[in-house]
């Protein structure tokens, strides 16, 4: 299972794209609002219990100060995939910098700002699980083939 967490309910319009691609691939997932700043106890509980509950990858989206992915990564050995959510002040660049600048020893795989990042985090999470799940790997291969097939060969196609 993949856990999708976000710092605020307002992050859902972005993080929903990760959930959508996981649903399309048939990957079990859960979604939770877990704020590093406003609900730190909830964040600690989520991060420290995730592996025991069957979560294998965590996709963490956050905007602004964007501490959620790094804080969660500091609390769990699970892979954490960070999605910078577009912010009002700096259009998500602040979020990107907050997530990507992790100190050595606390890794967070960081994706693009917004929708593309959420989609790619979902695909990357599925690819991680696909390493030990041949059926999922086959579904991911088919998804990628369909994406390639949808690209026209000429401008007139």
């Amino acid at each position: 299972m993949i856990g999708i967490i976000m710092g605020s309910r307002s992050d859902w319009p972005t993080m929903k794209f990760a959930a959508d691609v996981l649903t399309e691939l048939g990957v079990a997932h859960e979604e939770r609002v877990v704020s590093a700043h406003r609900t730190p106890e909830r964040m600690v509980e989520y991060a420290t219990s995730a592996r025991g509950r069957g979560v294998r990858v965590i996709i963490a989206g956050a905007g602004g100060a964007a501490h959620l992915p790094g804080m969660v990564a500091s609390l769990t050995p699970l892979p954490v995939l960070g999605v910078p959510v577009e912010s009002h002040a700096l259009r998500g660049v602040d979020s990107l910098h907050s997530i990507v600048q992790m100190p050595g020893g606390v890794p967070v795989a960081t994706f693009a700002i917004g929708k593309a990042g959420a989609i790619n985090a979902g695909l990357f999470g599925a690819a991680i699980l696909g390493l030990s799940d041949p059926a999922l790997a086959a579904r991911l291969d088919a998804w990628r083939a369909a994406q390639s097939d949808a690209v026209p060969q000429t401008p007139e196609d």
Side-chain angles (χ1 to χ4, degrees), residues 4 14-23 29 59 83 115 117-119 121-123:
I4 301 173
T14 297
M15 300 309 293
K16 183 178 183 320
F17 292 106
D20 290 346
V21 77
L22 292 172
T23 298
H29 57 280
I59 299 172
V83 177
K115 177 182 177 179
I119 291 169
L123 291 169

Side-chain angles (χ1 to χ4, degrees), residues 10 44 47 51 53 61 66 75 80 84 94 96 100 107 110 122 129 136 152 155:
S10 64
V44 169
R51 185 165 56 169
R53 293 183 301 102
L75 294 165
V80 176
D94 50 342
L96 173 65
V100 80
T110 309
L129 297 183
L136 174 56

Side-chain angles (χ1 to χ4, degrees), residues 89-149:
L90 298 174
R91 306 196 60 197
V93 174
D94 50 342
S95 310
L96 173 65
H97 287 178
S98 293
I99 296 171
V100 80
Q101 291 297 328
M102 291 302 300
V106 187
V108 173
T110 309
F111 292 84
I113 298 166
K115 177 182 177 179
I119 291 169
N120 287 340
L123 291 169
F124 196 82
I128 291 170
L129 297 183
L131 292 171
S132 60
D133 182 341
L136 174 56
R139 292 192 305 272
L140 189 55
D141 288 344
W143 188 94
R144 289 181 176 173
Q147 183 179 20
S148 294
D149 292 344

